[in-house]
Amino acid sequence: MLERLALENWSGPYDAGLKARALSALESGAVLFFPNLAFVLSDAEKRFLDASVSDGKAKNISLDHTTGTMQASALTGEAARELAAMMERFGSQAAGLVQELLPYRNVERARTSFRPVQVKDRHYSKISDDRLLHIDAFPSRPMRGRRILRFFANVAPHGARHWQVGEPFEDFARAFLPRVGPHPPGKSWLYDKLGVTRGRRSLYDELMLSLHDTSKLDDDFQKNSPHQRIEFPAGSCWLVFTDQVLHAALGGEFALEQTFHLDVSEMGEPARSPVKVLERLSGRSLV
Ligand code: SIN
Ligand code: FE
């Protein structure tokens, strides 16, 4: 469930045995935990450890590294540029590490986020409450089977980020698939036409969104399904397939996160991907 890797450096080369262990654990649904790897902020950057850098509307401040556009920050001018530069430095270091640690050839670097608001104090509807166990699925960005891989750093000066992780994906999918209603065939076409989604959702996307929502709304599952608590201390990092690992963030402030997207064909064992598991369980093609 938690695979500890004693890396201290953001760049390799890393030991072949360590790389093999990382790949197998990650694809099996473990969280790769780097207790000795810290993303260090400069003294000037420490002023961003303040919830008021967020505009208070979105959960996270996000950065699109391809355009340099930052969203949901309350900062302007030089301060905004410096925050974006900090996020960019984190994102490129995370990308470098992923590239050296794992054998994947084409990892797409997607959004970088900064999460400056204490998780415990946030108030959201159940569907958007990440304090409830869930797998990640994007409502507006169809993945069509592609993986969601996320690298996190706890950059708080002190205090752990508290997570829960749940049962294996296949157990979860077996229990919830029969409860997911049919998806009207016209809906994905309409959403695409209306611009609700960027491109058309596949059946895989519809299923993953339904699994995400159904599990968050199920109080009994939230309370009684197998889960374990994990604490990621200040100054540590972790990497996880969040489309596969049931997770909930219960508390903590000041995390950075870099999202990667990956084709299933890049995996060492594609059969472990959510799309392949769901296709096997449902007996049909989903993308
Ligand atoms: C999530 O992906 O559900 C939230 C993780 C976090 O912010 O720690
Ligand atoms: Fe999540």
Side-chain angles (χ1 to χ4, degrees):
M1 190 207 55
L2 196 68
E3 185 74 21
R4 288 174 164 264
L5 296 176
L7 302 191
E8 289 171 14
N9 294 311
W10 287 87
S11 56
Y14 302 121
D15 172 74
L18 179 118
K19 286 162 83 167
R21 189 151 66 86
L23 179 68
S24 140
L26 184 71
E27 293 192 357
S28 312
V31 178
L32 299 189
F33 174 42
F34 307 100
N36 307 329
L37 186 72
F39 182 72
V40 179
L41 306 191
S42 69
D43 285 339
E45 287 168 342
K46 288 186 181 145
R47 73 185 194 282
F48 300 133
L49 300 180
D50 183 331
S52 68
V53 302
S54 156
D55 70 3
K57 294 186 198 109
K59 271 187 240 184
N60 308 319
I61 297 170
S62 73
L63 178 74
D64 177 344
H65 79 104
T66 61
T67 60
T69 314
M70 186 165 68
Q71 279 176 327
S73 158
L75 302 178
T76 55
E78 192 48 31
R81 277 190 290 279
E82 284 175 32
L83 176 60
M86 176 183 96
M87 293 172 68
E88 168 54 33
R89 189 172 86 253
F90 167 74
S92 65
Q93 287 195 13
L97 184 145
V98 163
Q99 196 161 20
E100 293 216 42
L101 185 64
L102 300 166
Y104 306 142
R105 290 285 129 250
N106 291 297
V107 180
E108 181 199 339
R109 182 177 156 198
R111 290 294 173 99
T112 314
S113 70
F114 178 44
R115 306 170 174 218
V117 181
Q118 170 55 254
V119 171
K120 273 206 295 268
D121 301 339
R122 292 191 313 218
H123 294 287
Y124 289 107
S125 69
K126 275 193 179 176
I127 297 292
S128 54
D129 191 347
D130 291 337
R131 293 170 304 185
L132 298 171
L133 277 173
H134 65 283
I135 43 142
D136 287 348
F138 301 134
S140 61
R141 191 189 200 293
M143 294 301 285
R144 312 189 65 83
R146 297 187 87 213
R147 305 301 313 270
I148 304 172
L149 179 63
R150 289 188 150 155
F151 188 95
F152 292 87
N154 181 351
V155 294
H158 41 74
R161 200 165 187 86
H162 297 273
W163 272 33
Q164 268 176 4
V165 297
E167 63 191 350
F169 181 82
E170 182 157 344
D171 296 350
F172 164 67
R174 267 184 210 285
F176 276 87
L177 264 186
R179 295 170 48 181
V180 167
H183 298 282
K187 188 173 127 196
S188 63
W189 176 85
L190 186 66
Y191 275 21
D192 183 22
K193 286 285 165 257
L194 293 174
V196 175
T197 55
R198 282 199 284 160
R200 197 165 165 178
R201 279 184 194 161
S202 60
L203 211 45
Y204 169 75
D205 295 293
E206 300 286 7
L207 274 181
M208 290 292 278
L209 285 164
S210 297
L211 291 174
H212 169 276
D213 293 0
T214 314
S215 57
K216 277 188 173 174
L217 294 171
D218 183 335
D219 295 339
D220 179 59
F221 171 77
Q222 291 297 328
K223 210 164 143 227
N224 299 318
S225 73
H227 56 261
Q228 263 179 281
R229 204 177 154 91
I230 306 183
E231 292 190 7
F232 301 107
S236 69
C237 292
W238 60 104
L239 177 65
V240 54
F241 275 119
T242 54
D243 54 357
Q244 171 180 5
V245 176
L246 278 159
H247 61 283
L250 301 184
E253 53 185 347
F254 310 127
L256 281 159
E257 173 271 340
Q258 174 63 53
T259 301
F260 301 95
H261 299 157
L262 183 75
D263 275 348
V264 166
S265 62
E266 299 265 339
M267 295 176 61
E269 290 186 76
R272 293 190 182 275
S273 63
V275 67
K276 297 291 183 201
V277 171
L278 293 174
E279 287 186 334
R280 179 160 48 78
L281 295 180
S282 65
R284 56 183 171 165
S285 162
L286 298 175
V287 290

